Amino acid sequence: MTKMNIMKNLIVQKYGGSSVADPDRIKNVAKRVIRYKQEGHSLVIVVSALGDTTDELLDLVGQITENPQDRELDMLLATGEQISVALLAMAIHSLGHEAISFTGAQVGIVTDASHTKARILDINSKRIEKELAKNKIVIVAGFQGVNLNQDITTLGRGGSDLTAVALAKALRAPICEIYTDVDGVYTADPRIVPNARKLERISYEEMLEMASLGSQVMQARSIEVAKKFNVTIHVRSSFHNQEGTLISEEVSSMEEVLVSGVSLNKKEAKVTVCDVPDKPGVAAKIFGDIANADVNVDMIVQNVSRTGQTDISFTVDSTELKKAIKAVEKVARGVKAGQVVSDEDIAKVSIVGVGMRSHTGVAAKMFEVLASKKINIEMISTSEIKISILIRKAHAEEAVRALHDAFELGKNKK
Ligand code: ADP
Ligand code: ASP
Ligand code: MG
């Protein structure tokens, strides 16, 4: 095949952990992949670690130490995907077809040095192109790369999505298919909202918000890259052949819908710095030091001060709570603030929709719905196309279902 034909017929497919959870499912993926090959496609397959392997590896770490070095974490976590690629290659071979497996480093996925959440700098796709030209199915380990020091890095949880999108971009594949254990992107997590509706299409922008706000069906950074380079994504089930959800540029009909989805994130924690001196430069110092500790801050609230002192609360990813507290306690002493307290019993619920840009009253309606359920709102943050609120964790699912109903997102509505 000529290079142009290979690229025109190329599909990048990514199979998530649940799709390769056991030998039968791996064999099922092998059969699917071969079917596409027989239809005349060139295939680059990205796979995640088997089932819950990554969580199990993290659990093992927890039994050894509370403070692992990030470099060693990456060394360990990358092994999960290495198992999957080899097993899938063997499954394809045993069905009489040609395939070859690679680690991220082997196919030149070069990242920065930010271990556990590395960014892809470059992909040298020569090796992949060479194997595709030999008519082989190329299988690449998701979630991993290598930095300029030749150390193995990982791309953040859910990072196999990013591997797939970045490869689709580098190889100029017309489509990137994400195979998972749901039929597509829904108006809310179907495990929480039984009448959630599958969306036929969703814009990059809305998907990016939903993913960033906790809808783990796609990794947020993978959508950022897809949006930047206009990679069309098709999210679909690995268990049957029905169409899933297309993620693409916004089309005008999307604006007619006020709210497209409800997202939930239960993996954040709230940190409060009490009695902070209320004068210019203090917040800059506190958040500057947190950023220097490489911790991302999400929502921030500063209470009104009448006494010259104020409380500042903010949220961080639960996995970064320890790191955040360490940095904040130090800076709190430095700026002569009081106690630092943390609270993991919180959840963030958000509504997302490009239609919000041109409609008013959405926030008011959201707050009314929560008030009617007697759910107290502790923090609020908004952007053009989303509204997020922080509430007690115990009310999380109830709030998601109530909002999903109130904005008429369910199957039986509309
Ligand atoms: P994979 O292992 O294939 O990467 P993930 O577990 O990362 O799969 O993502 C799929 C899961 O995302 C689904 O099982 C579902 O519970 C959850 N999810 C959360 N929000 C949504 C949503 N809006 N639409 C679809 N699935 C969602
Ligand atoms: N195995 C990694 C994780 O569990 C990457 C992925 O599944 O996309 O986060
Ligand atoms: Mg995933």
Side-chain angles (χ1 to χ4, degrees), residues 14-33:
K14 174 255 171 178
Y15 292 88
S18 46
S19 303
V20 291
D22 57 43
D24 280 338
R25 290 198 181 171
I26 294 173
K27 288 182 198 167
N28 170 51
V29 169
K31 281 188 204 138
R32 273 195 101 87
V33 169

Side-chain angles (χ1 to χ4, degrees), residues 144 163 231 273 355:
Q144 55 175 262
T163 306
V231 177
V273 195

Side-chain angles (χ1 to χ4, degrees), residues 164-391:
V165 170
L167 282 172
K169 186 248 161 190
L171 297 162
R172 293 184 295 281
I175 188 95
C176 177
E177 295 184 328
I178 303 287
Y179 286 91
T180 182
D181 61 353
V182 270
D183 294 352
V185 179
Y186 279 71
T187 47
D189 188 340
R191 291 183 211 221
I192 297 172
V193 183
N195 73 335
R197 194 167 40 86
K198 189 182 85 185
L199 299 164
E200 257 171 56
R201 299 187 71 134
I202 185 167
S203 65
Y204 291 125
E205 225 179 329
E206 285 170 314
M207 189 67 243
L208 181 56
E209 285 285 7
M210 280 176 70
S212 312
L213 295 168
S215 301
Q216 68 163 21
V217 59
M218 286 298 300
Q219 189 214 29
R221 275 167 60 191
S222 72
I223 304 298
E224 246 167 53
V225 173
K227 181 172 189 276
K228 187 162 167 200
F229 298 105
N230 214 357
V231 177
T232 305
I233 299 176
H234 186 181
V235 182
R236 55 196 306 193
S237 167
S238 64
F239 304 131
H240 57 66
N241 293 319
Q242 277 150 34
E243 298 275 304
T245 303
L246 274 189
I247 309 175
S248 65
E249 286 294 354
E250 188 174 325
V251 289
S252 57
S253 64
M254 289 176 181
E255 279 173 25
E256 288 162 18
V257 184
L258 185 57
V259 174
S260 307
V262 184
S263 298
L264 168 62
N265 186 350
K266 293 210 273 189
K267 294 184 187 147
E268 283 194 11
K270 183 166 87 169
V271 179
T272 302
V273 195
C274 305
D275 305 327
V276 180
D278 193 12
K279 55 184 190 202
V282 174
K285 173 78 181 129
I286 293 175
F287 290 103
D289 281 17
I290 298 172
N292 287 338
D294 212 14
V295 173
N296 291 322
V297 170
D298 183 22
M299 298 167 115
I300 302 177
V301 165
Q302 178 173 341
N303 292 340
V304 183
S305 152
R306 293 213 187 91
T307 58
Q309 285 182 325
T310 172
D311 290 349
I312 296 180
S313 294
F314 57 90
T315 61
V316 295
D317 206 272
S318 297
T319 55
E320 300 199 311
L321 179 60
K322 279 203 192 100
K323 237 197 295 186
I325 289 180
K326 208 169 140 199
V328 174
E329 279 180 341
K330 191 161 168 230
V331 66
R333 279 194 298 275
V335 299
K336 299 205 163 45
Q339 231 190 336
V340 176
V341 287
S342 65
D343 179 356
E344 289 188 83
D345 208 20
I346 51 151
K348 184 171 71 176
V349 177
S350 314
I351 55 175
V352 174
V354 285
M356 278 187 217
R357 277 197 204 110
S358 44
H359 290 78
T360 54
V362 186
K365 181 165 172 179
M366 183 180 194
F367 303 155
E368 272 164 27
V369 171
L370 293 158
S372 74
K373 296 280 173 191
K374 304 210 167 10
I375 297 174
N376 190 39
I377 302 173
E378 298 179 30
M379 283 191 190
I380 301 169
S381 90
T382 64
S383 79
E384 235 191 340
I385 67 161
K386 73 115 205 267
I387 304 166
S388 297
I389 49 133
L390 200 77
I391 57 174

Side-chain angles (χ1 to χ4, degrees), residues 14 17 48-49 54 81 143 156-161:
K14 174 255 171 178
S48 296
T54 309
E81 272 67 14
F143 178 54
R157 295 306 304 268
S160 299
D161 296 336

